Amino acid sequence: MIPMSLLLTFSALLFCIGLYGIITTEKGLVALMCIELMLNSANINFVTFSAYGPWSNGSDMVGQAFVIFSIAIAAAEVAVGIAIMLSAYKISGTNNTLELSTMRW
Amino acid sequence: MLEYAYLIPLVPAICFVIVGLFGKKTPEGGGYIAILGSIISCILSIAVSYEYLTGKLYSTGRSFEMSVEWLTVAGFKINFGIYVDILSCAMMFFASLISMLIFIYSLGYMKGEGERKRRYYAEVSLFLTGMLGLVVSSNFLEMFIFWEIMGLCSYLLIGFWSFDNPDAQQKSSAAKKAFLVTRLGDVCLMGGLFILLYVFHTLDYTAIFGRRFFSDSIFYLGKMSINHYLLFIALFLILGGAVGKSAQFPLHDWLPDAMAGPTTVSALIHAATMVKAGVYLLARTSPLFIICHRGNMALIIVAGIGAITAFFAATMALNNMNIKKVLAYSTLSQLGYMFLGLGTGSFLIWYGFYTISFGVLGLGAIVYFAAVFHMFNHAFFKALLFLGSGSVIHSCGTEDMRLMGGLVKKMRTTAVTMLVGALSISGFPLLSGFWSKDMILEAALVTGEYLYYVFTIFYILGMAAAFMTAFYMFRMWFMTFSGEPRENAQHCHGESPSVMTFPLYILAAFAMFSGVVVIYALDSVWQTWFGTNDILEIVLTSKWTPISVMVALVGIFVADLMYRMRVVNPGWFNRNGKGIIYRILADRYHIPQLYDYISWKIGYGVACIVDYFDRNVVDGVVNGLSNVVIGNADVAKKMETGYVRDYTLLVAVGVFVLVLTLFAVVKGVI
């Protein structure tokens, strides 16, 4: 059986990759993808704790049920995110996050 | 009955509200309601005075006091209530009676005012409230409230004609002058009251003066251990308040200008209310002057201010051509006599108190009484003279005496009643003014002879003023009523309606007899109190009485020679209005210019400094604070870069720090 720490490390790595991607990228769509990576790292955490938790019968399905919800919500969120990106592109002709900065001071 | 004394100021106050709200719907703009209120006040005043004077309280020398607690601040308890003693009895009697007569007279005099009658009757009702409230108040703070109500009403009424009038500018500035000059005194008074509150820890009359009045209250106060230096300062400030309100020498100049208002208002201000408040304040606080160790200084100043005002105001009346202004100066002069009387009387009491000589003390009490008595008499004859002059103005349509003349045939009632008033104010024997004025002047002479020479100077000034009073009063009467009718007098409307002459008759009766009646009524009282001190005897058998009578008669005779018989041409004295003295008098000793100069230099200077302070210090602090906030915000807002990556980084770092902290707390590191 895969040790729990390995799964958690993998999840943390995934999160860090997502975060790093968001911080460094200039492309809006890439940023959306990175958000998906971070979300999925959280899902992996859910599943891991659900499977390895200190439960008497070995596992608890609640965490996995949450993951289903989370994936559904992520799908909706991606739809909204892409819609925002599309309309931002329509208005300003670019998806570069450094150029989409009209909401600053 | 005594416990209903609070109704005396309350009834006119209710009338003020009713007239103010519904005056337009009632006949005469609410005039009848105001008159009804003043009649009720007058009846109540007479009933309260009667009950008090015949009751046990008066015969045992105590005053009536009833009050409820109003507020308690920092350990100081302030009450609100009524206080009746012989002084307030006298004051409320003449204030309400004369106001009633003036209100009735107003029905005729203000007939043509139309819509504005409502304002007039509402304001005079409030004025009466102020005066009556002032005299029945049971403590200094309550008195000060009514004092200020009167100040406001005088401003409103003096400026009554500041709209739709050819002289609107001049009339409104007269109102402002009256308000601001009396304000100067009011600020002094307020300061004085603060110090009194500090010294006595209360402002109640009963707590300060004790429950018994005058002579007893002096001994009551004398036993108190109080800070005499502070008290001395407080007394000077209170004197400042009285000087402002009663228009005494440096602050006198608002009163002649106050003639801008309707004549009835002048009568109200001069005879019944307002200027009497200052004298009342001094009479009320005189025990404090007496017990103060250095009080004699303050009292000499009171007497000196009085004598100087009596003299200088009389000189300014000598050549004035405006019938109302002559009367205004005579009011100043007579108020000067009251101050002189109060100062001299209280000085004698002070001396008697400190040297424990009861004869001097008793004499002082009589002189003090004479001053209050003069205020009482003056109220009647001055109201009479003002209402008479109002009747003349109403009929001739001018205030300039050069345009009058010969009115005795057309306005017999006014002429005769005004003659009574003029004789009374001149001190013609047995008329009311004679008694009190003579007593005051003789007291000054006696004090000067035996105690302090300055009072001799005051006596001479007072005597000169008495001569001038007789002269200018009869000059006014002769110029108005005798000789050939001039310009306006030729087409005058004849005698005023009976609603205006009826008050003249009543006031003339008082001007004739009030002196004798009061002297007789009080003679027995004083005899029981002071044994041999018989007022009648003092006044009538004094070797100095003939002098004052002679002075009055000579004054009348000179006026007769110059203005009725015309054997002496007045123009010969003043080089037809070009003489230096004549011009100085006509310019009122340049004191109005002095006021302007002072207010321009000092007032404007102070205003500039305050303006500078306001702009640079007060505004500077506020603006500086806002600039600091704006500057910091300018720096801080740079954090909002608008880049997704920056926000993400911030959130990530925030979460990282949060998680670390949480770990540290859980592990017990922090």
Side-chain angles (χ1 to χ4, degrees), chain B residues 76-106:
Chain B
F76 296 120
K77 213 169 71 180
I78 307 287
N79 289 332
F80 207 86
I82 48 175
Y83 181 89
V84 178
D85 68 352
I86 184 156
L87 180 62
S88 39
C89 277
M91 296 283 295
M92 68 191 175
F93 171 67
F94 77 69
S96 58
L97 180 67
I98 289 172
S99 300
M100 180 185 88
L101 294 173
I102 292 172
F103 289 5
I104 293 172
Y105 180 93
S106 303

Side-chain angles (χ1 to χ4, degrees), chain B residues 398-644:
Chain B
T398 179
E399 295 180 5
D400 195 331
M401 291 192 290
R402 283 168 294 194
L403 306 177
M404 299 173 183
L407 288 173
V408 70
K409 295 188 195 74
K410 289 182 174 172
M411 308 180 72
R412 194 159 290 276
T413 312
T414 311
V416 170
T417 47
M418 270 189 96
L419 181 62
V420 172
L423 282 172
S424 183
I425 196 173
S426 310
F428 193 78
L430 303 183
L431 294 183
S432 64
F434 160 75
W435 301 96
S436 40
K437 192 195 279 184
D438 191 45
M439 274 156 85
I440 291 169
L441 288 173
E442 275 175 23
L445 182 66
V446 170
T447 316
E449 200 175 346
Y450 293 108
L451 291 180
Y452 197 57
Y453 65 94
V454 171
F455 283 90
T456 315
I457 302 170
F458 297 163
Y459 170 77
I460 294 166
L461 285 175
M463 228 33 179
F467 169 75
M468 286 187 278
T469 306
F471 171 75
Y472 65 69
M473 271 299 148
F474 276 85
R475 168 180 174 271
M476 181 205 81
W477 197 86
F478 290 136
M479 280 182 86
T480 312
F481 292 107
S482 75
E484 287 302 306
R486 291 180 290 267
E487 225 170 320
N488 280 44
Q490 281 165 358
H491 35 80
C492 89
H493 306 312
E495 188 55 86
S496 304
S498 57
V499 75
M500 286 166 73
T501 51
F502 155 74
L504 293 179
Y505 281 121
I506 295 183
L507 288 169
F510 271 102
M512 254 193 268
F513 301 118
S514 72
V516 188
V517 170
V518 173
I519 287 274
Y520 265 109
L522 285 181
D523 201 37
S524 56
V525 177
W526 287 92
Q527 238 163 354
T528 51
W529 282 13
F530 290 105
T532 54
N533 281 323
D534 189 326
I535 299 182
L536 260 185
E537 212 173 291
I538 289 173
V539 175
L540 285 181
T541 60
S542 155
K543 60 185 169 180
W544 303 106
T545 305
I547 294 181
S548 27
V549 175
M550 278 308 294
V551 160
L553 292 178
V554 168
I556 295 172
F557 181 64
V558 172
D560 187 65
L561 283 181
M562 283 165 76
Y563 292 97
R564 192 175 70 87
M565 318 234 297
R566 298 188 181 279
V567 287
V568 182
N569 180 13
W572 182 77
F573 288 102
N574 55 35
R575 287 187 269 145
N576 289 324
K578 290 191 183 62
I580 295 170
I581 295 175
Y582 185 90
R583 275 187 289 131
I584 287 178
L585 293 182
D587 289 340
R588 309 190 202 162
Y589 294 98
H590 297 283
I591 283 174
Q593 281 97 319
L594 183 70
Y595 278 24
D596 288 348
Y597 185 79
I598 289 174
S599 44
W600 187 244
K601 290 287 170 190
I602 297 179
Y604 186 73
V606 170
C608 281
I609 295 167
V610 170
D611 179 62
Y612 179 84
F613 183 82
D614 189 50
R615 277 177 202 278
N616 292 292
V617 178
V618 177
D619 287 4
V621 168
V622 173
N623 290 341
L625 273 176
S626 74
N627 282 338
V628 165
V629 171
I630 290 171
N632 287 343
D634 266 342
V635 173
K637 76 180 179 187
K638 294 285 184 337
M639 276 165 58
E640 304 287 322
T641 54
Y643 298 147
V644 175

Side-chain angles (χ1 to χ4, degrees), chain B residues 250-454:
Chain B
L251 300 180
H252 65 273
D253 207 62
W254 65 269
L255 201 64
D257 279 355
M259 292 300 105
T263 312
T264 45
V265 172
S266 308
L268 205 56
I269 289 176
H270 287 245
T273 60
M274 192 72 185
V275 295
K276 298 293 160 68
V279 183
Y280 169 80
L281 177 68
L282 271 193
R284 178 60 78 205
T285 49
S286 79
L288 294 177
F289 280 89
I290 292 157
I291 56 111
C292 187
H293 288 157
R294 303 296 300 162
N296 57 341
M297 284 290 295
L299 288 167
I300 289 168
I301 289 170
V302 172
I305 288 174
I308 290 168
T309 315
F311 180 78
F312 282 104
T315 58
M316 285 185 274
L318 288 177
N319 65 353
N320 210 299
M321 292 302 173
N322 185 315
I323 186 168
K324 279 174 78 182
K325 289 244 164 105
V326 171
L327 291 175
Y329 288 121
S330 83
T331 301
L332 288 175
S333 180
Q334 300 299 313
L335 287 166
Y337 281 125
M338 293 169 212
F339 270 57
L340 176 60
L342 282 176
T344 313
S346 304
F347 180 81
L348 285 171
I349 301 175
W350 182 88
Y351 187 84
F353 178 65
Y354 276 98
T355 56
I356 319 185
S357 88
F358 288 95
V360 180
L361 206 153
L363 181 65
I366 291 176
V367 181
Y368 170 90
F369 156 75
V372 178
F373 184 37
H374 194 57
M375 169 164 66
F376 185 81
N377 293 334
H378 174 258
F380 289 106
F381 56 67
K382 189 45 63 71
L384 171 62
L385 286 166
F386 261 115
L387 294 187
S389 77
S391 172
V392 171
I393 294 165
H394 190 67
S395 160
C396 290
T398 179
E399 295 180 5
D400 195 331
M401 291 192 290
R402 283 168 294 194
L403 306 177
M404 299 173 183
L407 288 173
V408 70
K409 295 188 195 74
K410 289 182 174 172
M411 308 180 72
R412 194 159 290 276
T413 312
T414 311
V416 170
T417 47
M418 270 189 96
L419 181 62
V420 172
L423 282 172
S424 183
I425 196 173
S426 310
F428 193 78
L430 303 183
L431 294 183
S432 64
F434 160 75
W435 301 96
S436 40
K437 192 195 279 184
D438 191 45
M439 274 156 85
I440 291 169
L441 288 173
E442 275 175 23
L445 182 66
V446 170
T447 316
E449 200 175 346
Y450 293 108
L451 291 180
Y452 197 57
Y453 65 94
V454 171

Side-chain angles (χ1 to χ4, degrees), chain B residues 10-316:
Chain B
L10 191 62
V11 172
I14 293 168
C15 289
F16 160 68
V17 174
I18 295 175
V19 174
L21 291 178
F22 310 110
K24 273 185 185 154
K25 293 180 186 124
T26 50
E28 287 296 326
Y32 293 115
I33 298 170
I35 290 169
L36 183 70
S38 62
I39 289 174
I40 294 172
S41 284
C42 183
I43 292 169
L44 279 169
S45 305
I46 292 169
V48 165
S49 305
Y50 180 78
E51 172 151 336
Y52 175 72
L53 292 175
T54 54
K56 209 168 162 208
L57 283 172
Y58 178 66
S59 57
T60 51
R62 277 180 296 155
S63 50
F64 175 80
E65 195 259 359
M66 192 177 79
S67 56
V68 290
E69 195 176 315
W70 179 23
L71 46 90
T72 309
V73 183
F76 296 120
K77 213 169 71 180
I78 307 287
N79 289 332
F80 207 86
I82 48 175
Y83 181 89
V84 178
D85 68 352
I86 184 156
L87 180 62
S88 39
C89 277
M91 296 283 295
M92 68 191 175
F93 171 67
F94 77 69
S96 58
L97 180 67
I98 289 172
S99 300
M100 180 185 88
L101 294 173
I102 292 172
F103 289 5
I104 293 172
Y105 180 93
S106 303
L107 283 182
Y109 191 78
M110 304 300 281
K111 200 154 194 66
E113 286 301 318
E115 286 283 285
R116 254 179 279 143
K117 270 189 272 194
R118 176 184 71 122
R119 191 187 136 197
Y120 173 80
Y121 285 113
E123 282 166 8
V124 291
S125 289
L126 189 62
F127 212 153
L128 182 56
T129 307
M131 187 62 191
L132 293 173
L134 183 110
V135 297
V136 298
S137 313
S138 72
N139 62 57
F140 282 110
L141 185 68
E142 195 186 341
M143 186 212 70
F144 186 67
I145 292 169
F146 288 109
W147 175 282
E148 289 297 324
I149 288 178
M150 266 204 290
L152 170 71
C153 289
S154 67
Y155 167 70
L156 292 172
L157 286 167
I158 291 167
F160 184 72
W161 281 333
S162 358
F163 309 98
D164 317 327
N165 194 292
D167 298 331
Q169 186 71 38
Q170 179 244 331
K171 286 181 192 302
S172 65
S173 66
K176 273 180 271 180
K177 188 174 188 178
F179 192 67
L180 291 175
V181 174
T182 50
R183 189 79 5 207
L184 196 61
D186 295 353
V187 171
C188 287
L189 174 60
M190 197 158 71
L193 294 188
F194 284 144
I195 300 177
L196 273 194
L197 185 63
Y198 179 77
V199 171
F200 289 102
H201 296 282
T202 175
L203 287 175
D204 271 13
Y205 292 157
T206 42
I208 294 177
F209 301 129
R211 288 202 172 269
R212 300 162 66 81
F213 56 73
F214 219 87
S215 49
D216 292 300
S217 75
I218 297 163
F219 289 104
Y220 173 83
L221 276 163
K223 287 194 206 99
M224 277 185 172
S225 59
I226 40 180
N227 187 335
H228 283 265
Y229 294 103
L230 275 180
L231 182 61
F232 189 62
I233 298 167
L235 292 178
F236 258 96
L237 291 170
I238 288 174
L239 173 62
V243 164
K245 203 73 162 178
S246 285
Q248 292 298 292
F249 179 59
L251 300 180
H252 65 273
D253 207 62
W254 65 269
L255 201 64
D257 279 355
M259 292 300 105
T263 312
T264 45
V265 172
S266 308
L268 205 56
I269 289 176
H270 287 245
T273 60
M274 192 72 185
V275 295
K276 298 293 160 68
V279 183
Y280 169 80
L281 177 68
L282 271 193
R284 178 60 78 205
T285 49
S286 79
L288 294 177
F289 280 89
I290 292 157
I291 56 111
C292 187
H293 288 157
R294 303 296 300 162
N296 57 341
M297 284 290 295
L299 288 167
I300 289 168
I301 289 170
V302 172
I305 288 174
I308 290 168
T309 315
F311 180 78
F312 282 104
T315 58
M316 285 185 274

